[in-house]
Amino acid sequence: MSLDEVRDEARAFLSDHFPKWRKENNARGDLDFEQQRSWQRYLYEHGWGVPTWPIAYGGRGLGMLESMVWNAEKVSAGAHTFFNLVGLGLAGPTIIARGSDDQKARYLPALARGDEVWCQLFSEPSAGSDLGNITTRAERIDGGWVVNGQKVWSSGAAESDRGMLVARYDTSLPKQQGLVYLLADMHAPGVDVRPLRQIDGGAHFSEVFFTDVQIADDDLVGGPGDGWSVAMTTLTNERMSLGGGFGTFAMSFDEVVDIARRTGRIDRYGLVDIYARRTILDVLNNRVQSKLFAGQIPEAEGSVIKLLMAELGTLTADVAIDALGAGGMLAAEAPSAQQRFLGSHAMHIGGGTDEIQRNAIAERVLGLPREPRPDKEVPFKDQLRS
Amino acid sequence: MNFTYDDTQHAIRDLARRVFTEHERHKELEAAAQTFDDELWSALGSTGLLEVDGFLDQCIVLIEQGRTVAPVALWTRYATRRDATLAVDGVAADDRAPEIVFVRDGAVFVAPTSVLEARRTTAGAEYVVDVSGGTKIAMDPSDLLDRAVVLRCALGVGIAERALEITAAYVGERKQFERPLGSFQAVQQRAANAYIDVEAMRLTMFQAAWRIDQALDARREVSIAQFWASEAGQRIVGTAQHLHGGMGSDIDYPLHRYTVAMKEIELAFGGSTQTLARMGALL
Ligand SMILES: Cc1cc2nc3c(=O)[nH]c(=O)nc-3n(C[C@H](O)[C@H](O)[C@H](O)COP(=O)(O)OP(=O)(O)OC[C@H]3O[C@@H](n4cnc5c(N)ncnc54)[C@H](O)[C@@H]3O)c2cc1C
């Protein structure tokens, strides 16, 4: 399908169905969580629930640019939500790429329909940028695993049904090798979710405690020891969905121009800068798309896009707030700009920080020597001792 | 001008630091939905800090206030030099004082706070006020606004200085990849740039404060200080937040207050682009 065809079809679909759905469901104003879920289900039933997934799993096999066109149409129709971003953008693609047939059959339909919401249980208090430092234990028992430990900053955990969990099963192996990737049931006995409050006023992330939580072998992705590499698959998808979603994360260009026009504080340089950066991101996404078509995995581009995206988010929020002047402080007058400003720092952190992305570019693209990592080959238990 | 503190200024600094530190109790106030710390205000009164009148000394006290982001509108009292609060662009920091002072049509007016319709906004301690009434008083409006700007800049210096201290301590302690974060050069260089920014904020602020104190023309210096407080201030708290990783977004940790307070400093006078435009007009 050409981009124009996608745009036409998307536009026709949304202008016809979204108002109808709103009316039937009595959904006015911003959609709440359950309304978002029901809109997701409606989209799925009409073939638009997971457009980037392969056709075999209910998707349309849309490429990145096409899906951006679709997202942009959703935004301008007011029909865009961030419903289960982690599940649809991270868990689904990971299961598609690395899961067993049984896992695909059990989880993908419920995900696509909006029945089950997922979260990402990677970070721990002592494992942030150093994800390999995970200490949550997965002990082997007959037919499965028993998990004990703590996760942190888990977005959406309080609303989630399932989680992608990385845990350590063997401390005699070096840090990145002794890990398993498990699909956890968030409603299982022993899972305790405690919401944390965030700077932008939301409570989007949580601490999650595991006490003797049992997970069956059927929910192990790959084999024991594949934990790190499956986690990398998830992170690549995360960079893609954070980076590629720029049309939706940052405030739209028109929105900022509107504010500037309204207040008369027109920072031409700032506006032009935003416009130019958006254009560059477009082109980059295009390039990623062609790589994907050629069957290559665009790893470094993911880092570049994620970095540019975070900068764009910060710049856009700054220019918008600046244009609002003293009124920018008044939440009532600028809910969107203010929230995005407060949330914009997180874009430089979540999904791998700026520094970690830059390290990846320096090492993988420029071929610079890696920083010495004495911990990498040492059995994890010896590292703990030192 | 050598901007090191003399003995009296050291004494003021020490006293202010003690009073503000002893009253650092954000969580308690937030739990009670209090946006103004009454106890601190009376402690400032009983220790004489409300009455400090040298302009440089006032700035020194405000740096100390910035360090704890204490919720009292001391700067409006210092700027107006009376028991009043100050409204800039129709927005005031509180409505506690008996009077409210504002500039209209190139003159300074005062009105009893009670007659103004003060409306709390959802942002917290800001009040939108109707500034159409009031009685004209003999005060130079540009002197009033210059003082207000520089006092806010002093607050900003304290906010920035403390945010960087908290950050340096954090990255010195926290380990990833088996070493303190602070040992990564990418982290060190960002922190070092933030330090340069803090010192630039401090110097431009004191330069403007000194000229005001000496009754010299300070328009240019005030704009420069304001620009640094706006631009560098944002860079510093941005760095502080960034170097904290996920912790920077968690409001259980104190850092977010520094970020929000710094943005308010910038916005109270119209944002850094506006400041640049004003400065351009002066050059
Ligand atoms: C809004 C938000 C949502 C999140 N959602 C999730 C989620 O759903 N699931 C999940 O598992 N995690 C989530 N995270 C966690 C996120 O992945 C981590 O915060 C991130 O990986 C950084 O880890 P950290 O917070 O421990 O920071 P740290 O790793 O402690 O980093 C602190 C600072 O040090 C720098 N630094 C670290 N290592 C290096 C180095 N080698 N060289 C140079 N600088 C370095 C970092 O760039 C950063 O500035 C979320 C975070 C945020 C902010």
Side-chain angles (χ1 to χ4, degrees):
Chain A
M1 245 184 358
S2 78
L3 287 184
D4 283 339
E5 284 165 352
V6 175
R7 182 175 293 111
D8 290 346
E9 199 181 329
R11 198 169 288 178
F13 173 81
L14 289 167
S15 62
D16 183 20
H17 289 258
F18 188 55
K20 203 165 77 190
W21 174 85
R22 262 196 191 282
K23 212 161 163 199
E24 279 166 11
N25 290 274
N26 204 11
R28 271 176 250 123
D30 287 345
L31 305 183
D32 65 26
F33 186 75
E34 284 310 320
Q35 288 170 328
Q36 294 182 8
R37 186 201 290 280
S38 126
W39 173 231
Q40 170 66 25
R41 183 165 308 146
Y42 187 94
L43 285 172
Y44 176 73
E45 283 161 359
H46 292 79
W48 282 105
V50 281
T52 53
W53 290 14
I55 294 164
Y57 306 116
R60 298 181 158 238
L62 290 197
M64 195 155 175
L65 262 198
E66 294 161 321
S67 83
M68 280 167 54
V69 167
W70 160 245
N71 278 337
E73 287 303 319
K74 266 204 300 188
V75 170
S76 56
H80 187 271
T81 75
F82 289 111
F83 178 76
N84 200 12
L85 190 71
V86 172
L88 298 167
L90 276 60
T94 303
I95 294 171
I96 290 169
R98 308 295 296 271
S100 65
D101 288 342
D102 164 62
Q103 286 163 352
K104 289 175 190 168
R106 275 190 296 135
Y107 295 130
L108 294 178
L111 243 174
R113 257 202 322 267
D115 293 349
E116 288 186 348
V117 173
W118 287 62
C119 61
Q120 180 189 18
L121 305 164
F122 286 16
S123 304
E124 296 182 4
S126 58
S129 296
D130 187 6
L131 183 58
N133 212 38
I134 279 170
T135 56
T136 293
R137 287 300 309 267
E139 260 160 289
R140 196 112 200 57
I141 51 163
D142 197 24
W145 308 85
V146 176
V147 177
N148 280 286
Q150 183 197 346
K151 296 291 174 179
V152 73
W153 321 129
S154 316
S155 303
E159 293 82 37
S160 290
D161 303 295
R162 298 187 183 278
M164 299 163 265
L165 170 71
V166 184
R168 185 168 305 281
Y169 77 101
D170 188 345
T171 56
S172 69
L173 295 171
K175 61 202 291 188
Q176 296 180 354
Q177 289 170 34
L179 301 173
V180 282
Y181 192 110
L182 298 165
L183 305 178
D185 177 354
M186 297 298 286
H187 307 300
V191 181
D192 179 16
V193 180
R194 300 181 200 163
L196 297 167
R197 291 241 295 130
Q198 232 164 291
I199 185 165
D200 62 1
H204 310 301
F205 53 30
S206 301
E207 295 176 298
V208 182
F209 294 84
F210 288 85
T211 315
D212 293 332
V213 176
Q214 301 209 6
I215 298 180
D217 262 334
D218 293 347
D219 284 322
L220 173 69
V221 182
D226 288 339
W228 180 259
S229 109
V230 180
M232 290 304 112
T233 302
T234 306
L235 291 182
T236 302
N237 280 290
E238 179 168 18
R239 278 196 295 276
M240 293 306 211
S241 54
L242 291 177
F246 79 86
T248 44
F249 271 104
M251 197 177 224
S252 84
F253 182 66
D254 291 345
E255 218 176 323
V256 189
V257 174
D258 278 351
I259 292 176
R261 272 193 216 286
R262 186 153 50 79
T263 61
R265 289 175 229 236
I266 299 178
D267 169 9
R268 285 165 192 277
Y269 187 87
L271 290 172
V272 169
D273 202 8
I274 295 174
Y275 188 82
R277 283 165 184 273
R278 282 187 164 266
T279 311
I280 293 168
L281 269 164
D282 257 333
V283 177
L284 258 174
N285 276 310
N286 207 341
R287 190 152 124 197
V288 169
Q289 162 91 344
S290 359
K291 266 208 169 176
L292 284 171
F293 271 138
Q296 292 165 306
I297 297 172
E299 265 195 77
E301 282 90 339
S303 295
V304 175
I305 290 176
K306 209 221 138 205
L307 277 169
L308 289 178
M309 164 65 208
E311 277 169 16
L312 177 68
T314 301
L315 174 71
T316 312
D318 274 353
V319 173
I321 293 243
D322 210 33
L324 284 161
M329 286 183 296
L330 311 176
E333 286 176 28
S336 164
Q338 203 179 55
Q339 228 177 27
R340 306 235 196 173
F341 161 72
L342 292 174
S344 62
H345 290 296
M347 287 295 301
H348 297 267
I349 299 293
T353 70
D354 287 2
E355 283 75 11
I356 296 303
Q357 309 295 344
R358 290 200 179 96
N359 282 344
I361 294 168
E363 289 168 6
R364 290 193 211 135
V365 185
L366 301 177
L368 296 180
R370 284 173 183 266
E371 212 155 0
R373 285 281 305 276
D375 56 319
K376 243 185 146 173
E377 304 307 323
V378 184
F380 191 70
K381 60 176 191 286
D382 297 342
Q383 177 184 310
L384 283 181
R385 247 178 252 133
S386 72
Chain B
M1 313 115 266
N2 172 1
F3 298 132
T4 48
Y5 294 179
D6 63 23
D7 286 347
T8 324
Q9 289 171 330
H10 269 298
I12 292 173
R13 200 270 314 266
D14 293 346
L15 174 64
R17 181 161 302 185
R18 184 171 61 73
V19 173
F20 285 116
T21 314
E22 279 174 4
H23 287 83
E24 197 169 359
R25 49 181 195 124
H26 287 283
K27 286 202 172 151
E28 197 185 316
L29 293 170
E30 282 160 12
Q34 247 179 286
T35 55
F36 193 98
D37 190 342
D38 294 296
E39 281 176 29
L40 171 58
W41 193 250
S42 41
L44 290 169
S46 64
T47 51
L49 288 169
L50 286 184
E51 310 307 328
V52 167
D53 58 3
F55 191 61
L56 287 168
D57 299 341
Q58 292 178 342
C59 290
I60 289 169
V61 175
L62 284 182
I63 293 178
E64 297 307 314
Q65 182 189 351
R67 290 177 58 89
T68 63
V69 256
V72 287
L74 186 54
W75 66 281
T76 75
R77 184 189 169 99
Y78 283 169
T80 57
R81 281 159 284 167
R82 49 207 290 166
D83 194 3
T85 191
L86 174 71
V88 180
D89 280 352
V91 178
D94 77 321
D95 66 350
R96 297 274 161 148
E99 296 175 332
I100 193 148
V101 168
F102 48 89
V103 176
R104 191 180 70 233
D105 307 328
V108 181
F109 290 79
V110 64
T113 308
S114 56
V115 307
L116 295 175
E117 230 186 282
R119 194 157 49 80
R120 232 341 258 291
T121 74
T122 47
E126 256 69 44
Y127 293 78
V128 178
V129 293
D130 169 10
V131 292
S132 51
T135 323
K136 202 183 263 192
I137 51 172
M139 192 183 276
D140 175 3
S142 57
D143 181 54
L144 171 64
L145 291 178
D146 283 352
R147 282 171 188 263
V149 168
V150 175
L151 289 163
R152 296 279 285 190
C153 292
L155 256 180
V157 170
I159 293 169
E161 169 184 280
R162 185 79 192 114
L164 185 56
E165 284 172 16
I166 292 173
T167 304
Y170 184 81
V171 298
E173 278 287 313
R174 174 161 175 82
K175 282 190 176 168
Q176 288 283 268
F177 307 102
E178 300 309 294
R179 51 192 264 199
L181 289 176
S183 72
F184 286 107
Q185 294 198 352
V187 170
Q188 294 177 344
Q189 307 228 332
R190 235 183 125 153
N193 279 334
Y195 173 77
I196 294 170
D197 273 339
V198 174
E199 292 314 301
M201 273 176 83
R202 191 192 313 279
L203 289 176
T204 52
M205 182 278 289
F206 272 128
Q207 175 75 13
W210 180 78
R211 290 190 71 90
I212 289 175
D213 189 56
Q214 300 293 308
L216 299 167
D217 179 5
R219 280 175 302 169
R220 235 174 50 164
E221 286 73 14
V222 169
S223 288
I224 293 171
Q226 186 184 346
F227 175 70
W228 273 97
S230 302
E231 284 279 305
Q234 290 314 303
R235 278 198 298 269
I236 296 159
V237 291
T239 290
Q241 237 190 315
H242 183 72
L243 294 183
H244 276 81
M247 198 64 97
S249 292
D250 183 352
I251 62 172
D252 214 34
Y253 192 77
L255 199 66
H256 69 280
R257 294 192 192 92
Y258 292 79
T259 306
V260 172
M262 193 64 100
K263 198 67 186 170
E264 291 191 358
I265 304 254
E266 179 191 345
L267 293 176
F269 298 102
S272 60
T273 314
Q274 299 305 111
T275 309
L276 267 189
R278 253 195 313 262
M279 209 156 85
L282 280 175
L283 296 177

